[in-house]
């Protein structure tokens, strides 16, 4: 559980905010996705969320839905996703990786085997969108017992009573969803984000990272002024999509264009 805590502690000591990047594992293919994954820390990512492709990503907007489909069509599965993490860990022992997605691919793995393999591969935590606190015995508690952080989502509609349940077994950091709706569809309202982040931080010592809707260096900078970290996903996934050829295959520009965007976003965040 230590990589996530270490990163947030080190950044806080430097008066910096965490830049959390999201890509979908296997998008547009395993080899290209791994090259992007390996390049993210050098481009400025402090924490990496690696999406577990799923055919019905209900919380995700069109960009990440398409990324999941591209990955699945290219043959990505959970075993290949964990293999990507192992390959990443061969050269990077410090950058935290959090697997993000849905319960179904974990359930069919099944759970105990998945948790053991995730720990062995070098995964640091999980964000499982459709695993509510009422089902903590199903995945959350076993994950914590296995040594993985379990990061929860809170939203603008999470009231004070519900917030207690959400925070009860959360570890690593709290992910505040800045908008109502799915990923990448609207820009966050800074005043509302600041108010809700303050409400969450009054209830927990965990860092709070904000995502869903952050697409530009300017937005990253403004969100960083009120949160401990900023999550960017759809904008990065869009950069992948825009670099592909007319058959949806990677081009010589795919990796470089994505990492250039990450560098620009990171620069905007550091300017905060």
């Amino acid at each position: 559980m230590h990589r996530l805590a270490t990163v947030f502690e080190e950044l806080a000591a430097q008066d910096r905010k965490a830049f959390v990047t999201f890509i979908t594992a296997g998008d547009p293919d395993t080899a290209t996705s791994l090259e992007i994954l390996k390049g993210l820390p050098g481009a400025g990512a402090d924490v990496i969320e690696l999406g577990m492709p799923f055919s019905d990503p209900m919380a995700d907007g069109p960009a990440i839905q398409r990324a999941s489909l591209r990955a699945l069509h290219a043959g990505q599965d959970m075993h290949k996703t964990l293999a990507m993490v192992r390959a990443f860990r061969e050269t990077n022992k410090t950058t935290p990786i959090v697997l993000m997605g849905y319960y179904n691919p974990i359930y069919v793995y099944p759970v105990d085997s998945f948790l053991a393999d995730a720990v062995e591969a070098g995964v640091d935590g999980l964000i499982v969108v459709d695993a509510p606190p009422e089902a903590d015995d199903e995945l959350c508690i076993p994950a914590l017992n296995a040594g993985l952080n379990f990061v929860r989502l809170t939203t603008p509609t999470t009231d004070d009573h519900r917030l207690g349940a959400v925070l009860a077994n959360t570890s690593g950091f709290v992910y505040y969803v800045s908008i109502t709706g799915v990923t990448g569809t609207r820009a966050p309202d800074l005043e509302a984000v600041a108010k809700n982040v303050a409400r969450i931080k009054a209830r927990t010592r965990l860092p709070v990272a904000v995502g869903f809707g952050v697409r530009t260096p300017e937005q990253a900078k403004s969100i960083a002024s009120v949160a401990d970290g900023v999550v960017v996903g759809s904008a990065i996934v869009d950069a992948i999509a825009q670099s592909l050829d007319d058959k949806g295959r990677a081009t010589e520009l795919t990796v470089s264009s994505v990492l250039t965007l990450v560098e620009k976003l990171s620069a905007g965040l550091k300017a905060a």
Side-chain angles (χ1 to χ4, degrees):
M1 292 188 181
H2 299 304
R3 267 187 289 253
L4 271 172
T6 297
V7 164
F8 277 103
E9 288 169 4
E10 290 178 348
L11 291 172
Q14 300 168 29
D15 197 25
R16 286 182 50 216
K17 306 303 176 71
F19 181 30
V20 185
T21 57
F22 172 94
I23 62 170
T24 299
D27 173 32
D29 60 73
T30 302
T32 304
S33 186
L34 178 58
E35 192 174 351
I36 294 170
L37 177 66
K38 288 182 173 181
L40 288 173
D46 299 303
V47 178
I48 298 170
E49 291 178 4
L50 186 60
M52 300 176 284
F54 182 50
S55 58
D56 188 23
M58 66 188 76
D60 294 304
I64 296 178
Q65 288 181 26
R66 288 191 290 265
S68 273
L69 290 177
R70 285 194 298 268
L72 292 172
H73 290 159
Q76 190 74 10
D77 59 23
M78 189 68 80
H79 293 281
K80 291 181 179 180
T81 297
L82 294 178
M84 285 179 59
V85 179
R86 289 188 194 95
F88 178 86
R89 287 284 172 237
E90 291 174 2
T91 56
N92 186 308
K93 307 293 186 184
T94 57
T95 304
I97 291 183
V98 179
L99 296 183
M100 183 171 185
Y102 301 84
Y103 183 44
N104 183 273
I106 297 172
Y107 176 78
V108 300
Y109 195 93
V111 171
D112 290 345
S113 298
F114 167 78
L115 295 176
D117 289 353
V119 170
E120 180 272 330
V123 173
D124 297 285
L126 303 175
I127 301 173
V128 184
V129 175
D130 53 350
E134 290 77 11
D136 273 0
D137 289 343
E138 188 88 11
L139 178 62
C140 175
I141 301 302
L144 294 173
N145 290 339
L148 293 168
N149 289 116
F150 203 85
V151 178
R152 291 280 195 203
L153 301 177
T154 65
T155 75
T157 60
T158 304
D159 63 22
D160 289 338
H161 176 72
R162 182 63 176 172
L163 183 60
V166 169
L167 294 175
N169 291 313
T170 297
S171 65
F173 64 95
V174 180
Y175 188 142
Y176 176 66
V177 175
S178 63
I179 61 170
T180 55
V182 295
T183 57
T185 53
R186 291 191 292 115
D189 177 271
L190 183 61
E191 183 178 349
V193 169
K195 179 179 178 181
N196 279 297
V197 168
R199 184 168 62 93
I200 296 165
K201 291 181 74 66
R203 301 281 295 272
T204 180
R205 295 182 178 179
L206 291 171
V208 179
V210 176
F212 278 51
V214 181
R215 303 187 67 92
T216 68
E218 294 75 21
Q219 287 175 330
K221 181 178 179 180
S222 65
I223 293 295
S225 69
V226 300
D228 301 302
V230 179
V231 186
V232 179
S234 293
I236 297 172
V237 170
D238 275 340
I240 294 174
Q242 291 162 11
S243 74
L244 304 179
D245 66 18
D246 57 4
K247 294 184 179 179
R249 297 175 301 197
T251 68
E252 61 182 12
L253 298 177
T254 298
V255 175
S256 61
S257 62
V258 171
L259 297 183
T260 296
L261 172 62
V262 171
E263 288 172 353
K264 291 179 180 178
L265 291 163
S266 176
L269 190 60
K270 290 175 181 175

